Amino acid sequence: MPKPIVALVGRPNVGKSTLFNRLAGERLAIVDDTPGTTRDRLFSDSEWNGRAFTIVDTGGIDPTHGGRTPLSVGSADFIKEIRQQAQVAIQEADAVLFVNDGDSGVTPSDREVAEILRRSQKKLPDGRFWPPIFVVVNKAENVERRTQAAEFYELGLGDPYPVSALHGTGTGDLLDDLVKAFPPQETEAEDESVKIAIVGKPNAGKSSLLNRLVGEERVIVSPIAGTTRDSIDSKINFDGLDVTLIDTAGIRRRGKIERGVEQYSVLRAFKSIERADVALLMIDATTGITSQDAHIAGFIIEEWKSCVVLVNKWDALAKDTTTMDDYTAIIRRELNFVDYVPILFISAKTGQRVDQVLPLALRVQEERLARLTTSKLNEIIHKAQDAHPHPSHAGRALKMFYGTQVRSDPPTFMIYVNDPKLMHFSYLRYLENQIRAEYGFLGTPIRIVIKGRREE
């Protein structure tokens, strides 16, 4: 079941990013006293009382601004943006945290945001309004501030929750009620199909590729970047195997993501990567590989997903006998952290090599599920030690006793040693390379866990 989504909404400089970092448990959002610092959405997984959920931070907007006096350099018309943000948050979120500044009290901006949120809620048959909205009164660091939070009752959205995002005061009570408001967890029917997500920058040709793969015009194809606003699943049967193709909204470089609809379409794209087995990372051959391509590849690997790089629009390039080799070298250099990922040069427009996409993706999926015997793995480990022993640290030498593959999907190996603290990260990469030299695990990340023998 997908994790519930919690959206943080509110005007600038009320502490949304600080609260986001508090709930995420790490410093992910930029925190600055200048209004409008958060220029794009951030999201992170969180957990409370055994319930996992995804939190989304958004740029602050001021509905009373009207674009006349800039709140900060580069600020836009915030009236339109707060409406977009609030409406899409209501559509996509399972709960909304409406963050306010307890120091400044209720402002006209807060009243208008509250009205927009209230009008956007839907009334359920049982009389409840959906999604639930929690009025968070931030910067309530002392008893006086917490008492003054009562004035936020006037917003008409229920009990205010006085918190200090900076110090964590009051966040426990907020989270207790938040997770209680989530929809009940349901057991979904098991889907045995291979799930393949098509991801990449806007206008890279993802929808065109999907139409080629399914053999029909299943989704709209447009030259306008950002046409696909949602993730779309297409079920097909390929050579007797059930496959789910997931087309996703294009992912733009940080800072270039529109507030409102596109923010949440990007969130859905990332969530699609999370539920995929294999991600097809589409690169536009006419623009070359960009930092955003590397960013997306990094996210795929962080989620331990298998990957195939598709260089699309190959028909649009003037080529000679070395063009493909030169392009491959560039990709290997720019995406050197995924040097095990296969590269395929295609044209979704003409169909060039599109017939190779699914066979290659399914081969990668097979390697994702592969298992090495314990004897084979230990043979690899012993050969690696003999060829290149681990350097000693402070007079102590690392000893690797034995290893075993504890799971697949993705392939995960556990190696027992005398002291895990002695293992250097560069030697882990060396071991990974030795494993791949014996068994490729094409396009698939592998995980190596180091454990002390006495912890057995």
Side-chain angles (χ1 to χ4, degrees), residues 365-384:
Q365 168 64 3
E366 286 181 9
E367 305 237 344
R368 181 178 182 84
L369 301 177
R371 298 190 70 93
L372 285 181
T373 63
T374 298
S375 60
K376 182 63 177 177
L377 177 61
N378 283 283
E379 179 184 332
I380 295 172
I381 292 174
H382 293 148
K383 283 184 178 180

Side-chain angles (χ1 to χ4, degrees), residues 399-439:
K399 296 180 181 179
M400 292 187 288
F401 300 113
Y402 69 96
T404 184
Q405 184 171 353
V406 294
R407 61 165 290 181
S408 56
D409 194 20
T412 304
F413 304 94
M414 184 170 290
I415 298 177
Y416 290 88
V417 302
N418 58 332
D419 186 353
K421 295 179 181 179
L422 295 175
M423 176 66 76
H424 194 271
F425 72 89
S426 62
Y427 201 80
L428 278 178
R429 184 60 187 261
Y430 166 69
L431 290 175
E432 177 183 338
N433 291 337
Q434 297 307 303
I435 292 173
R436 290 191 185 279
E438 293 288 336
Y439 190 95

Side-chain angles (χ1 to χ4, degrees), residues 299-429:
F299 186 84
I300 293 170
I301 301 311
E302 287 173 8
E303 293 299 310
W304 298 96
K305 303 301 180 180
S306 300
C307 181
V308 175
V309 172
L310 301 179
V311 183
N312 191 30
K313 306 182 185 179
W314 194 239
D315 60 303
L317 292 188
K319 296 176 285 292
D320 56 32
T321 56
T322 65
T323 304
M324 187 175 292
D325 290 339
D326 293 342
Y327 215 111
T328 298
I330 293 172
I331 293 175
R332 292 301 184 203
R333 183 179 68 246
E334 298 298 326
L335 301 181
N336 56 17
F337 54 93
V338 285
D339 52 4
Y340 53 83
V341 169
I343 302 171
L344 186 62
F345 296 85
I346 69 168
S347 170
K349 181 179 179 180
T350 67
Q352 181 183 21
R353 299 191 189 89
V354 170
D355 61 332
Q356 300 179 31
V357 171
L358 285 180
L360 181 56
L362 293 175
R363 179 188 167 194
V364 167
Q365 168 64 3
E366 286 181 9
E367 305 237 344
R368 181 178 182 84
L369 301 177
R371 298 190 70 93
L372 285 181
T373 63
T374 298
S375 60
K376 182 63 177 177
L377 177 61
N378 283 283
E379 179 184 332
I380 295 172
I381 292 174
H382 293 148
K383 283 184 178 180
Q385 287 188 105
D386 292 341
H388 182 54
H390 189 286
S392 61
H393 177 71
R396 297 189 63 200
L398 176 77
K399 296 180 181 179
M400 292 187 288
F401 300 113
Y402 69 96
T404 184
Q405 184 171 353
V406 294
R407 61 165 290 181
S408 56
D409 194 20
T412 304
F413 304 94
M414 184 170 290
I415 298 177
Y416 290 88
V417 302
N418 58 332
D419 186 353
K421 295 179 181 179
L422 295 175
M423 176 66 76
H424 194 271
F425 72 89
S426 62
Y427 201 80
L428 278 178
R429 184 60 187 261

Side-chain angles (χ1 to χ4, degrees), residues 7-20:
L8 277 64
V9 175
R11 60 184 176 83
N13 208 31
V14 295
K16 293 189 302 302
S17 295
T18 305
L19 181 60
F20 174 88

Side-chain angles (χ1 to χ4, degrees), residues 9-13 16 34-40 58-87 109 112-113 116 258-260 263:
V9 175
R11 60 184 176 83
N13 208 31
K16 293 189 302 302
T34 304
T37 298
T38 304
R39 289 299 177 190
D40 59 344
T58 53
I61 50 276
D62 185 350
T64 64
H65 164 53
R68 289 180 293 275
T69 304
L71 287 170
S72 61
V73 176
S75 294
D77 186 338
F78 289 112
I79 291 181
K80 179 181 178 181
E81 292 174 355
I82 182 59
R83 287 172 182 160
Q84 281 187 330
Q85 188 180 78
Q87 289 167 358
S109 296
E112 187 163 346
V113 175
I116 293 170
E258 296 175 11
R259 303 183 187 199
Q263 292 177 351

